[in-house]
């Protein structure tokens, strides 16, 4: 029995963003949705996108370094093919590789995004896809010449 879960996202911009990523995933898979397609959602937050993808039938591992967000993601999740962990992507040592890896609005928070992309490349199956999104540059971010206080500028 398949459980259908409705993910309610109050922010219409965020909902549009998640729907864009879901569309890209579905197109890459040729709309052949399967639990055999493994997705890693790095920086999953409270799990909205991971749960949306899992609800379609994909196997999803969502990771985030923010414990309260991961706790909330686990609380919201009722889908058997979606899992959440509080973990840094740099600490992932998995034997199994992923068909799809998503970094949605994550890179701008990192001190060394290059290292993360290299690590992600190691975790991606040959022929897999990496989906990276960054915030619209029209948003205003604090930046100093020495370090990014909140966001990295790209």
């Amino acid at each position: 029995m398949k459980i259908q879960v409705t993910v309610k996202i109050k922010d219409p911009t965020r909902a549009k963003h998640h729907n864009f990523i879901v569309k890209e995933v579905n197109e890459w898979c040729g709309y052949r949705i399967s639990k055999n397609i493994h997705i890693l959602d790095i920086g999953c937050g409270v799990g909205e996108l991971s749960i949306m993808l899992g609800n379609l039938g994909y196997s999803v591992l969502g990771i985030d370094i923010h414990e309260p967000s991961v706790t909330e993601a686990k609380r919201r999740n009722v889908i058997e093919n979606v899992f959440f962990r509080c973990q840094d992507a740099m600490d992932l040592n998995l034997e199994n590789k992923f068909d799809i890896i998503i970094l949605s609005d994550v890179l701008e928070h990192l001190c060394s995004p290059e290292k993360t992309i290299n690590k992600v490349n190691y975790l991606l199956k040959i022929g897999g896809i990496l989906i990276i999104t960054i915030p619209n540059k029209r948003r205003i971010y604090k930046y100093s010449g020495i370090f990014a206080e909140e966001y990295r500028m790209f």
Side-chain angles (χ1 to χ4, degrees):
M1 180 175 89
K2 185 175 179 181
I3 297 173
Q4 286 292 324
V5 177
T6 302
V7 180
K8 293 182 181 178
I9 303 170
K10 293 178 183 177
D11 178 359
T13 302
R14 189 164 186 80
K16 185 176 177 181
H17 179 78
H18 286 346
N19 287 330
F20 166 78
I21 294 171
V22 168
K23 178 180 168 283
E24 291 299 313
V25 168
N26 285 335
E27 285 181 3
W28 181 80
C29 295
Y31 294 90
R32 294 179 320 272
I33 298 167
S34 165
K35 287 184 182 179
N36 294 327
I37 295 174
H38 294 74
I39 300 173
L40 175 61
D41 183 7
I42 298 173
C44 67
V46 296
E48 295 165 341
L49 179 59
S50 296
I51 292 169
M52 285 174 73
L53 291 164
N55 194 42
L56 292 173
Y58 300 110
S59 292
V60 184
L61 172 60
I63 64 169
D64 202 295
I65 61 169
H66 188 245
E67 181 86 40
S69 293
V70 174
T71 299
E72 177 62 16
K74 288 178 179 179
R75 186 191 68 75
R76 292 178 178 196
N77 184 39
V78 296
I79 302 173
E80 65 182 26
N81 49 302
V82 177
F83 306 91
F84 294 101
R85 287 189 203 164
C86 186
Q87 187 169 12
D88 189 315
M90 296 304 289
D91 297 331
L92 279 175
N93 288 317
L94 302 171
E95 290 182 24
N96 298 331
K97 299 199 177 214
F98 294 89
D99 300 289
I100 301 167
I101 299 178
I102 300 168
L103 289 151
S104 178
D105 294 356
V106 171
L107 289 183
E108 67 276 7
H109 296 280
L110 306 176
C111 293
S112 183
E114 304 85 10
K115 287 182 182 177
T116 301
I117 290 173
N118 286 333
K119 177 69 173 193
V120 164
N121 187 44
Y122 169 76
L123 296 170
L124 192 61
K125 286 182 182 176
I126 293 172
I129 62 165
L130 172 61
I131 299 173
I132 298 174
T133 64
I134 56 173
N136 188 317
K137 68 181 180 177
R138 288 180 283 176
R139 293 185 185 181
I140 299 171
Y141 302 112
K142 297 177 184 176
Y143 180 77
S144 74
I146 300 171
F147 63 92
E149 293 177 307
E150 184 175 355
Y151 295 97
R152 181 180 178 100
M153 300 295 281
F154 284 95

